[in-house]
Amino acid sequence: PVPCPPGSPAPRLPMALRICTLVCRSWGDRPQLCQVACAVGRAESPVRHGAALPQGLDSSLQQWGVVAPSQRQALATRLQEATEAAMAALLATEAELSPQQRGGTRAHTDVLGVDFLLGCVDDALELVALATNSQQCLETCVLAEAMGRSVGEPRGDLPRLLAEAMLHRAQCHLVEGKDILLIGAGGVSKSFVWEAARDYGLRVRSSGR
């Protein structure tokens, strides 16, 4: 938990902060946080997707009364860890399912949206995971990226990471069912080839030297 800073200016009205995150499956099945977008609203009514224009995490935390840079950075780090941990748990669960249970041989999750609510409990700021919502989180984060570009902010990693995820899926589809010739196979050092071939749906023909 991140302690609420003593003497920090509180917002004029009771406010709620909904944090929308988007995480992608990166190379090596590694979760990677792509984008964070926040919506600030009145505490007495739920802050829904599309109810307010998205804004950045740092400015939202300042508006919420978190003025110390170290505390904002600590919250950003905890948010990244929580989001990527949620994606890692989902990938681990999918890996244990059969192709039929997943919905097909190549069916798996490449992009995941996770919604959080920031609350103050016992004078400490707590992140509470609300739900996974890929479609609405994707729309919100893409809008936040576009708004940032329109005011001169540098390009973020979101377009690149989304493109990488889609291209990787397309490459897997192109090579699925193909035959490859592996020369000098058979040793323990080549074991990674068999694992990759299984994951990509390849048929391996070996030829010793």
Side-chain angles (χ1 to χ4, degrees):
V2 178
C4 295
S8 294
R12 294 181 180 178
L13 296 172
M15 302 176 70
L17 180 60
R18 186 186 187 114
I19 305 175
C20 175
T21 63
L22 194 70
V23 59
C24 292
R25 179 196 295 260
S26 186
W27 296 102
D29 292 338
R30 181 176 58 87
Q32 184 170 356
L33 181 64
C34 301
Q35 179 69 286
V36 177
C38 301
V40 180
R42 297 287 296 271
E44 65 267 19
S45 60
V47 183
R48 296 184 174 88
H49 281 279
L53 290 176
Q55 58 189 61
L57 177 63
D58 195 71
S59 59
S60 298
L61 291 175
Q62 292 186 60
Q63 185 178 355
W64 218 63
V66 184
V67 295
S70 60
Q71 291 181 320
R72 297 199 302 272
Q73 181 58 48
L75 279 168
T77 300
R78 288 189 58 223
L79 180 66
Q80 179 176 358
E81 293 173 349
T83 304
E84 293 179 350
M87 179 72 159
L90 178 61
L91 298 184
T93 301
E94 285 186 346
E96 298 176 354
L97 300 177
S98 66
Q100 292 75 19
Q101 290 173 319
R102 290 199 309 269
T105 304
R106 307 304 308 171
H108 60 245
T109 301
D110 289 319
V111 179
L112 181 69
V114 186
D115 279 320
F116 293 87
L117 190 68
L118 184 64
C120 189
V121 180
D122 296 331
D123 295 327
L125 295 175
E126 290 283 356
L127 287 169
V128 180
L130 296 177
T132 58
N133 192 331
S134 298
Q135 181 63 35
Q136 289 183 318
C137 284
L138 177 60
E139 293 173 354
T140 300
C141 288
V142 169
L143 176 59
E145 175 76 13
M147 290 174 59
R149 294 289 307 282
S150 67
V151 296
E153 292 186 3
R155 183 190 300 272
D157 291 332
L158 178 61
R160 176 181 61 82
L161 294 172
L162 288 177
E164 285 181 357
M166 291 185 289
L167 288 173
H168 184 255
R169 173 66 70 93
Q171 290 170 344
C172 291
H173 177 72
L174 288 174
V175 301
E176 185 174 1
K178 299 296 191 296
D179 294 290
I180 63 171
L181 177 63
L182 184 62
I183 300 175
V188 176
S189 62
K190 301 294 192 301
S191 60
F192 70 94
V193 174
W194 312 112
E195 297 173 1
R198 182 190 65 242
D199 294 338
Y200 280 80
L202 295 168
R203 294 189 296 267
V204 179
R205 313 294 183 185
S206 61
S207 174
R209 290 184 176 180

